Amino acid sequence: MMAAPLGVRERLFALVTLLCAARCGGFYLPGLAPVSFCEEGKETETCKTKIELFVNRLDSVESVLPYEYDTFDFCKDKNEKRPSENLGQVLFGERIASSPYKFIFNKPETCKMVCSKHYKPKQEGNGLTFIKKGIQLDYQHHWIVDNMPVTWCYDVEDGHKYCSPGFPVGCIVTPDGRGKDACYTYPEFIKKNTFYLFNHVDITITYHSGNGENWDGARLISAKLEPKSYKHTDEEHLVCDGLPMEIPQELVSNLDVIYTYSVKFQENNATKWASRWDYILESLPHTNIQWFSIMNSLVIVLFLSGMVAMIMLRTLHKDIARYNQIDSSEDAQEEFGWKLVHGDIFRPPKKGMLLSVFLGQGTQIFIMTFITLFLACLGFLSPANRGALMTCSVVLWVLLGTPAGYVSARLYKTFGGEKWKTNVLLTALLCPGIIFADFFIMNVILWAKGSSAAIPFGTLVAILAMWIGISVPLTFVGAYFGFKDRPVEHPVRTNQIPRQIPEQSFFTKPFPGIIMGGILPFGCIFIQLFFILNSIWSHQMYYMFGFLFLVFLILLITCSEATVLLCYFHLCAEDYHWWWRSFLTSSFTAVYLFIYAVHYFFSKLQITGTASTILYFGYTMIMVLIFFLFTGAIGFFSCYWFVRKIYSVVKVD
């Protein structure tokens, strides 16, 4: 299934639609060329009759460990084939394979047998134990038809209907009579201390006919199912009705499980193929919450912008005017505030090597994030294009080693550093090495648990080769040009003897300022962060990249303004140690992100098990480190620009 290339007009239309009609209900999600289907006997080169159903890995909100479909003892395709998966799909643990569920377009089937499984008591490794564990942890199937998720739609509160891209393996009724949510959908599941297996599905495939269009056949616009549980007793005379398929806690006699399905087709010409994702996306959290998030962030930005404008236009303007007055030498002795530290403001910071390395990596991540979100806004990284978001991010990060090396080397040279070899190696290896080591440890746990999220050894070697073979040499190239350039020239000279810093009040000391600096940027993103965490850990689909890009820009502005504001206050208090403080002020937002992730784990998730807990916090630490570098670079460069600007317009004797 190849993606159809977009023309220039289509790309412009997609951009205009996203910018001007962010709240529209239907829009085209690129990533798949339309496939036409015809009835049996009418197939052509452009029109197929067979509809294939693919199965993906099973996951759960109670466990971080996804498993391949083959791990469970379900019906398998004898001639199993696996579509080629991109890097993003492999990293996310997607394992797509063909299934024994085969359909002929517009040919309904009723209670058709797929396969049967036979289990004996006390039989080791019979697969039934793993199925029961999957039911207990509420593992979900994920099926795909024509690159569309097969959805399970059911009623939720307030009369709304939610369409889930997965459906449960089954449900369990505990000894006290309580069951999973799926059990309440079926009141016949009443026997306590019993597992119920969904061994039958009623599938409804909806299509849009090509009559009167410029294409032949029909295009699928939805595939919905309803899981059922039936205890079939005779393979020759299947009846999809009656008692549910019970699996006792302890198997004392032979058990036969027969898997069946029914399929029907419905024509719906009111829905176009380009809008076929709408019914899934509309059942997700409403855009009203997203608009509330944007308004909340804009209020914070306006507040900060007002403060910065007041400083720039009033206080700072008056300071500069007063400092530039050429009066008697007595007036010069009465100087106070930020001008007094002009001889120390550009004094190289302590541990400048580490700061330059962090800033190089932060620049690399910032550019990667900006380009990725921009492409996502254009629709190239939509949910229909599976794995494209992660693939794009990894490839961009690898190719952006040159800016990281250049920024790190140029700043390190500006700081007066001479250990250029150490600087280049740390820029290329330090932060990526920490992330890779964390990622490898998480992968070892996934390997040990047999999870589908475990990265195959060959893919791991390929990622390592991309890092060592492409990113590291590009970092060396950037560092070469960075060291070759002249150091950044500062507008004022640095004194030989450091000026003594006066006693600081509580609020102008480093730590309280850093803590306060991260609050406002985090306040801009915490609502959007909730949806992102839901998409990662609760397996909900995320598609509102227009909102995310807007929040990204708001975060950029907020980090910059908060850092500049606090930097000005500290300079007025005659504290010229701003290099590290400007980086840590905005990067402290990552600490609040970690605290929120801990709160989210204990309040929103139902994850159980030591391995799942370690995996959650292991992957969270990777996200926190990336956010730390990204926000720190934003704060530093905005503050660097501010300091250079104000000291370039003031007259110094």
Side-chain angles (χ1 to χ4, degrees), residues 529-542 600:
L529 182 62
F530 172 77
F531 293 109
I532 294 174
L533 292 177
N534 273 349
S535 68
I536 297 173
W537 304 113
S538 297
H539 313 296
Q540 293 185 8
M541 201 172 295
Y542 189 91
Y600 180 84

Side-chain angles (χ1 to χ4, degrees), residues 25-44:
F27 53 88
Y28 174 58
L29 291 172
L32 176 70
V35 178
S36 298
F37 294 92
C38 299
E39 295 180 5
E40 196 170 14
K42 299 181 180 179
E43 62 269 20
T44 63

Side-chain angles (χ1 to χ4, degrees), residues 7 31 101 106 108 164 257 286 449 474 493 525 536 648:
Y101 295 85
N106 224 4
S164 170
V257 178
H286 297 295
K449 292 293 183 179
L474 288 176
R493 290 177 295 179
I525 64 168
I536 297 173
S648 64

Side-chain angles (χ1 to χ4, degrees), residues 90-110:
V90 175
L91 293 177
F92 272 125
E94 291 196 14
R95 300 294 184 268
I96 300 175
S98 59
S99 77
Y101 295 85
K102 310 292 183 183
F103 315 129
I104 301 297
F105 177 73
N106 224 4
K107 182 181 179 181
E109 299 282 358
T110 303

Side-chain angles (χ1 to χ4, degrees), residues 130-430:
F130 204 80
I131 290 177
K132 289 161 65 175
K133 181 182 178 182
I135 294 174
Q136 199 164 11
L137 292 175
D138 199 20
Y139 270 82
Q140 305 270 319
H141 288 277
H142 292 279
W143 291 2
I144 303 167
V145 168
D146 192 31
N147 203 40
M148 279 283 293
V150 182
T151 56
W152 175 38
C153 299
Y154 54 90
D155 294 327
V156 292
E157 57 185 10
D158 299 330
H160 295 290
K161 187 175 285 291
Y162 175 68
C163 290
S164 170
F167 67 95
V169 174
C171 76
I172 178 176
V173 179
T174 58
D176 57 359
R178 294 184 299 175
K180 299 288 186 182
D181 293 341
C183 294
Y184 297 121
T185 312
Y186 304 96
E188 63 268 23
F189 296 172
I190 57 175
K191 189 176 292 186
K192 298 180 180 179
N193 204 27
T194 304
F195 292 89
Y196 292 93
L197 175 67
F198 290 133
N199 61 331
H200 175 87
V201 287
D202 287 330
I203 303 174
T204 302
I205 297 178
T206 309
Y207 63 91
H208 176 85
S209 176
N211 295 332
E213 305 283 350
N214 57 355
W215 44 271
D216 297 326
R219 292 176 179 175
L220 307 188
I221 56 176
S222 73
K224 302 178 183 179
L225 62 74
E226 188 174 354
K228 298 289 184 65
S229 180
Y230 295 128
K231 186 176 183 179
H232 302 293
T233 56
D234 187 358
E235 294 184 12
E236 301 297 329
H237 301 88
L238 296 172
V239 178
C240 292
D241 198 0
L243 298 175
M245 184 68 238
E246 299 177 1
I247 301 177
Q249 288 278 8
E250 294 293 334
L251 194 61
V252 295
S253 61
N254 292 343
L255 179 68
D256 294 331
V257 178
I258 301 175
Y259 291 88
T260 57
Y261 74 92
S262 298
V263 60
K264 62 180 180 179
F265 294 82
Q266 292 180 351
E267 184 176 359
N268 179 8
N269 291 329
T271 303
K272 301 295 183 182
W273 183 88
S275 302
R276 63 180 189 159
W277 283 79
D278 288 2
Y279 83 97
I280 302 175
L281 304 180
E282 287 173 356
S283 66
L284 296 175
H286 297 295
T287 55
N288 292 337
I289 302 176
Q290 300 285 353
W291 282 113
F292 172 76
S293 168
I294 299 299
M295 295 305 298
N296 171 68
S297 303
L298 285 175
V299 168
I300 295 175
V301 168
L302 290 175
F303 169 74
L304 274 177
S305 299
M307 293 286 289
V308 172
M310 183 179 67
I311 290 174
M312 295 290 187
L313 299 178
R314 297 186 59 186
T315 311
L316 194 58
H317 181 72
K318 289 181 180 179
D319 289 345
I320 294 172
R322 186 190 314 118
Y323 292 156
N324 288 341
Q325 285 179 352
I326 305 176
D327 292 323
S328 63
S329 59
E330 294 181 359
D331 291 333
Q333 295 175 0
E334 295 176 0
E335 293 176 351
F336 64 93
W338 55 269
K339 185 183 178 183
L340 291 180
V341 297
H342 67 82
D344 300 276
I345 192 66
F346 293 110
R347 187 176 301 281
K350 296 180 180 179
K351 299 188 182 301
M353 169 83 77
L354 187 61
L355 180 60
S356 63
V357 168
F358 283 173
L359 291 171
Q361 283 293 321
T363 304
Q364 185 178 9
I365 295 170
F366 169 76
I367 300 173
M368 175 202 74
T369 306
F370 179 84
I371 297 176
T372 301
L373 289 179
F374 183 74
L375 292 176
C377 284
L378 295 180
F380 296 110
L381 310 180
S382 69
N385 201 353
R386 301 174 187 278
L389 184 68
M390 179 60 75
T391 303
C392 179
S393 300
V394 173
V395 171
L396 282 174
W397 181 86
V398 169
L399 297 177
L400 289 170
T402 303
Y406 179 84
V407 170
S408 177
R410 186 88 186 277
L411 285 174
Y412 182 63
K413 189 174 183 180
T414 302
F415 295 158
E418 297 178 353
K419 299 178 180 179
W420 62 271
K421 294 180 181 179
T422 306
N423 174 263
V424 175
L425 289 174
L426 286 177
T427 304
L429 302 176
L430 179 61

